[in-house]
Short mmCIF file of all heavy atoms in Angstrom, two decimals:
data_model
loop_
_atom_site.label_atom_id
_atom_site.label_comp_id
_atom_site.label_asym_id
_atom_site.label_seq_id
_atom_site.Cartn_x
_atom_site.Cartn_y
_atom_site.Cartn_z
N ILE H 242 64.13 -133.29 18.27
CA ILE H 242 65.17 -132.95 19.12
C ILE H 242 65.57 -134.03 20.10
O ILE H 242 66.79 -134.22 20.44
CB ILE H 242 64.92 -131.64 19.91
CG1 ILE H 242 66.03 -131.16 20.77
CG2 ILE H 242 63.61 -131.75 20.73
CD1 ILE H 242 67.28 -130.84 20.12
N GLN H 243 64.57 -134.82 20.57
CA GLN H 243 64.82 -135.91 21.50
C GLN H 243 65.62 -137.06 20.80
O GLN H 243 66.44 -137.63 21.31
CB GLN H 243 63.58 -136.42 22.10
CG GLN H 243 62.71 -135.42 22.89
CD GLN H 243 63.51 -134.72 24.08
OE1 GLN H 243 64.68 -135.24 24.37
NE2 GLN H 243 63.06 -133.80 24.61
N ALA H 244 65.20 -137.33 19.50
CA ALA H 244 65.91 -138.37 18.72
C ALA H 244 67.41 -137.92 18.52
O ALA H 244 68.28 -138.78 18.64
CB ALA H 244 65.13 -138.57 17.51
N ALA H 245 67.64 -136.68 18.26
CA ALA H 245 68.94 -136.14 18.00
C ALA H 245 69.82 -136.34 19.29
O ALA H 245 70.90 -136.82 19.19
CB ALA H 245 68.92 -134.74 17.54
N ALA H 246 69.27 -136.03 20.43
CA ALA H 246 69.99 -136.11 21.68
C ALA H 246 70.20 -137.61 21.96
O ALA H 246 71.27 -137.90 22.42
CB ALA H 246 69.14 -135.42 22.81
N LEU H 247 69.12 -138.49 21.71
CA LEU H 247 69.44 -139.84 22.03
C LEU H 247 70.44 -140.46 21.09
O LEU H 247 71.24 -141.34 21.67
CB LEU H 247 68.09 -140.64 21.79
CG LEU H 247 67.05 -140.33 22.90
CD1 LEU H 247 65.64 -140.85 22.42
CD2 LEU H 247 67.38 -141.08 24.18
N CYS H 248 70.62 -139.99 19.87
CA CYS H 248 71.70 -140.50 19.04
C CYS H 248 73.07 -140.25 19.64
O CYS H 248 74.00 -141.02 19.62
CB CYS H 248 71.59 -139.92 17.68
SG CYS H 248 70.34 -140.66 16.60
N ILE H 249 73.16 -138.99 20.11
CA ILE H 249 74.43 -138.54 20.76
C ILE H 249 74.78 -139.36 22.03
O ILE H 249 75.80 -139.93 22.21
CB ILE H 249 74.37 -137.01 21.10
CG1 ILE H 249 74.32 -136.30 19.75
CG2 ILE H 249 75.58 -136.62 21.93
CD1 ILE H 249 73.97 -134.83 19.96
N LYS H 250 73.70 -139.56 22.88
CA LYS H 250 73.93 -140.28 24.11
C LYS H 250 74.15 -141.75 23.94
O LYS H 250 74.84 -142.37 24.73
CB LYS H 250 72.76 -139.90 25.12
CG LYS H 250 72.81 -138.40 25.55
CD LYS H 250 71.67 -138.06 26.51
CE LYS H 250 72.02 -138.62 27.89
NZ LYS H 250 70.94 -138.26 28.88
N LEU H 251 73.47 -142.27 22.89
CA LEU H 251 73.72 -143.76 22.71
C LEU H 251 75.18 -144.05 22.44
O LEU H 251 75.56 -145.24 22.79
CB LEU H 251 72.86 -144.18 21.48
CG LEU H 251 72.84 -145.59 21.02
CD1 LEU H 251 72.63 -146.54 22.14
CD2 LEU H 251 71.85 -145.87 19.84
N ASP H 252 75.96 -143.14 21.85
CA ASP H 252 77.32 -143.49 21.70
C ASP H 252 78.03 -143.81 23.03
O ASP H 252 79.11 -144.33 23.08
CB ASP H 252 78.04 -142.18 21.07
CG ASP H 252 77.57 -142.00 19.69
OD1 ASP H 252 77.21 -142.97 19.03
OD2 ASP H 252 77.88 -140.85 19.12
N HIS H 253 77.50 -143.39 24.11
CA HIS H 253 78.13 -143.54 25.45
C HIS H 253 77.41 -144.64 26.31
O HIS H 253 77.92 -144.91 27.45
CB HIS H 253 78.16 -142.18 26.25
CG HIS H 253 78.86 -141.05 25.45
ND1 HIS H 253 80.14 -140.93 25.49
CD2 HIS H 253 78.34 -140.30 24.44
CE1 HIS H 253 80.56 -139.90 24.73
NE2 HIS H 253 79.43 -139.53 24.04
N LEU H 254 76.36 -145.16 25.96
CA LEU H 254 75.58 -146.11 26.78
C LEU H 254 76.40 -147.22 27.27
O LEU H 254 76.36 -147.53 28.53
CB LEU H 254 74.30 -146.56 26.02
CG LEU H 254 73.52 -147.59 26.76
CD1 LEU H 254 72.95 -146.96 28.07
CD2 LEU H 254 72.27 -148.02 25.88
N ASP H 255 77.18 -147.85 26.49
CA ASP H 255 77.92 -149.01 26.89
C ASP H 255 79.02 -148.67 27.97
O ASP H 255 79.14 -149.44 28.96
CB ASP H 255 78.62 -149.75 25.76
CG ASP H 255 77.65 -150.46 24.87
OD1 ASP H 255 76.51 -150.74 25.40
OD2 ASP H 255 77.91 -150.79 23.61
N ASP H 256 79.57 -147.52 27.77
CA ASP H 256 80.55 -147.03 28.75
C ASP H 256 79.88 -146.77 30.10
O ASP H 256 80.39 -147.10 31.24
CB ASP H 256 81.37 -145.80 28.33
CG ASP H 256 82.28 -146.09 27.25
OD1 ASP H 256 82.68 -147.26 27.00
OD2 ASP H 256 82.69 -145.22 26.53
#
Side-chain angles (χ1 to χ4, degrees):
I242 181 63
Q243 299 304 349
L247 285 166
C248 283
I249 293 166
K250 292 182 72 177
L251 178 52
D252 290 340
H253 301 271
L254 177 60
D255 288 339
D256 287 344

